[in-house]
Amino acid sequence: MAQAALIIRSVVLSLIALTLVACSSTDGEEETGPAPLLDFEEERKFNKVWSSSVGDGQGGIFNRLNPAVDGDLIYVASAQGEIEAITVEAGKTVWDADLEQLLVGGVGVGENTIYVGTAAGEVVALNKDDGETLWSIELGGEVLAAPQEKDGIVYVQTFDGQMLALNVKDGERVWSFRNNLPVLTLRGTSTPLIYRDSIIAGFANGRVISFELDTGAVRWNTRVTVAKGDSEIQRIIDIDAPLLEHNGLIYAVSYQGKIAAIDPASGRRLWANDASSYAGMSLGFGNIYVVGEDGSVTAFEKNGQGARWAQTVLERRKLTGSAILSSYVIVGDVEGYLHALSQVDGRIAARTKVDSDGIQVDLQTVDDMLLVYSNGGKLVMYKLEEKSSGWF
């Protein structure tokens, strides 16, 4: 009976995650579809360097199977269990494997190993060189974020509030911690961040916790935001976006809450501003760029002095986490478009369509290129160049 209840809860939370953005209006507005795309003066052009196809991509639910870049290779997984190692330079497949399991999280990359999470609550370790399965272990909760490895230990955060440290050689548990979950949460988990001798993680109750790598002892436990509202949906304050580290500070953003700067030594919250996001942040020009759940993109000054600019023309387009390319902030959307926004003032400078199935995985910068993994399984590398450049 307990297992059935857990399954029902997972389904309910999945439905909430898919519908929250459309239902989030508090002003009685009836607009639910993506805002129409407006004309703009094109300053740059997205030029495709190469394109590859990886199975069914994200599958039919809100998965965020982020590719992992490690040196000259990209490791990428699809929801149906396909995993490939693809070259950064040309998009050529070096090896591929099929786990024949439903995947919901990853890819994490270690020294010799890559890691993915299954719908059955397992974490699977594979050899980086050829994709051979090394071990798998059931953890009880879905692994929706990429595991992180350091010094022979892999750190895994699960959807049911666990943080675990596993031995890289065989998956044996080294230590574990369980955090109490709120009644309702978004379907997602913040990717843990290894910082010096700590593993730092954001949780569904709006807290960020720092653990000692070797023992799992809690060093500090900081509240980023406080739940507000009368209904359980209004009180959702998940930290699902990956934590961002820059110049010795940790930045965290919650859904329906705050963006905050945290001292990683003490856990002291240095500043906070109102924000609502579940997507990855990026940093440039002295700003932290936050993609709001409403489709806004806001440039917060990294010194905590507030917002420098906000762009709202992409409302309700369910934007991806952002990436920085040259002097532009890049985001993807639910209809499969990429948008380049100026870091100076947020104006739209370029646009292209990748995949009509949409994009929901955070974008990544690789050297001077942009890596995009669409919902339908298109893995594409772009450059952002002058309109006159002669790329195909």
Side-chain angles (χ1 to χ4, degrees):
M1 185 64 113
Q3 184 178 8
L6 181 62
I7 293 172
I8 291 170
R9 172 184 169 84
S10 180
V11 171
V12 170
L13 297 185
S14 299
L15 292 173
I16 288 172
L18 289 169
T19 58
L20 266 175
V21 175
C23 299
S24 61
S25 173
T26 58
D27 299 323
E29 297 179 358
E30 295 181 359
E31 297 175 294
T32 57
L37 296 177
L38 303 180
D39 292 337
F40 66 97
E41 183 176 348
E42 190 177 51
E43 301 174 16
R44 293 290 188 272
K45 184 177 180 63
F46 286 103
N47 288 313
K48 187 186 300 182
V49 180
W50 55 257
S51 179
S52 185
S53 182
V54 184
D56 67 337
Q58 302 301 315
I61 61 175
F62 190 73
N63 288 324
R64 284 189 281 185
L65 290 161
N66 292 279
V69 180
D70 185 59
D72 297 330
L73 292 178
I74 303 163
Y75 299 96
V76 59
S78 76
Q80 290 296 324
E82 298 96 335
I83 303 174
E84 296 187 27
I86 295 173
T87 62
V88 168
E89 182 180 6
K92 301 298 183 183
T93 299
V94 175
W95 59 255
D96 61 83
D98 190 348
L99 295 182
E100 298 183 348
Q101 297 185 72
L102 294 177
L103 301 183
V104 293
V107 177
V109 178
E111 184 177 356
N112 302 302
T113 313
I114 63 172
Y115 307 92
V116 293
T118 75
E122 297 175 314
V123 61
V124 182
L126 302 94
N127 189 306
K128 277 173 62 174
D129 294 332
D130 56 15
E132 177 188 0
T133 298
L134 302 175
W135 51 261
S136 66
I137 185 168
E138 186 174 345
L139 301 178
E142 291 179 305
V143 180
L144 302 180
Q148 305 294 301
E149 181 192 310
K150 184 177 181 181
D151 296 336
I153 304 295
V154 57
Y155 300 91
V156 182
Q157 187 173 358
T158 64
F159 183 43
D160 63 350
Q162 296 182 82
M163 171 62 70
L164 304 106
L166 310 175
N167 191 298
V168 165
K169 293 181 179 179
D170 54 13
E172 182 179 350
R173 189 172 301 194
V174 177
W175 58 259
S176 64
F177 170 90
R178 182 179 290 275
N179 195 31
N180 292 329
L181 287 177
V183 174
L184 294 180
T185 74
L186 300 180
R187 180 178 171 77
T189 307
S190 176
T191 303
L193 173 69
I194 294 175
Y195 180 77
R196 297 181 178 174
D197 58 350
S198 299
I199 179 82
I200 305 173
F203 289 89
N205 58 359
R207 289 185 172 272
V208 175
I209 303 177
S210 176
F211 304 90
E212 185 176 291
L213 285 176
D214 294 337
T215 67
V218 174
R219 288 185 162 163
W220 49 259
N221 183 333
T222 296
R223 185 185 294 278
V224 170
T225 191
V226 177
K228 299 177 181 179
D230 298 326
S231 72
E232 294 298 338
I233 289 180
Q234 290 174 328
R235 296 178 63 80
I236 294 175
I237 53 172
D238 289 46
I239 299 175
D240 276 4
L243 304 179
L244 177 66
E245 184 274 327
H246 181 72
N247 285 348
L249 290 182
I250 305 298
Y251 298 93
V253 64
S254 71
Y255 183 78
Q256 299 184 141
K258 305 279 187 183
I259 175 176
I262 300 170
D263 175 9
S266 65
R268 185 167 64 93
R269 199 175 76 168
L270 304 178
W271 59 259
N273 283 298
D274 290 341
S276 179
S277 179
Y278 49 76
M281 299 172 283
S282 58
L283 189 145
F285 282 25
N287 302 322
I288 300 169
Y289 301 104
V290 174
V291 174
E293 50 85 17
D294 58 357
S296 62
V297 180
T298 303
F300 287 97
E301 296 185 57
K302 68 177 184 179
N303 60 9
Q305 295 303 304
R308 185 163 286 163
W309 55 258
Q311 177 59 273
T312 61
V313 299
L314 302 175
E315 286 181 316
R316 305 181 305 280
R317 298 195 69 87
K318 300 181 183 179
L319 303 182
T320 67
S322 62
I324 300 299
L325 196 58
S326 182
S327 56
Y328 298 91
V329 186
I330 319 296
V331 293
D333 74 19
V334 69
E335 293 184 332
Y337 287 95
L338 292 177
H339 309 269
L341 287 66
S342 168
Q343 290 195 62
V344 175
D345 57 12
R347 69 184 183 276
I348 306 293
R351 178 186 298 147
T352 194
K353 190 162 190 177
V354 180
D355 183 353
S356 58
D357 287 335
I359 311 168
Q360 62 198 33
V361 168
D362 292 351
L363 307 179
Q364 298 183 54
T365 303
V366 184
D367 298 325
D368 61 343
M369 300 181 292
L370 180 77
L371 181 64
V372 183
Y373 185 32
S374 75
N375 294 352
K378 289 184 179 179
L379 187 72
V380 190
M381 193 75 82
Y382 287 97
K383 284 197 170 186
L384 186 63
E385 299 184 321
E386 299 286 346
K387 291 170 60 178
S388 59
S389 295
W391 284 81
F392 54 90

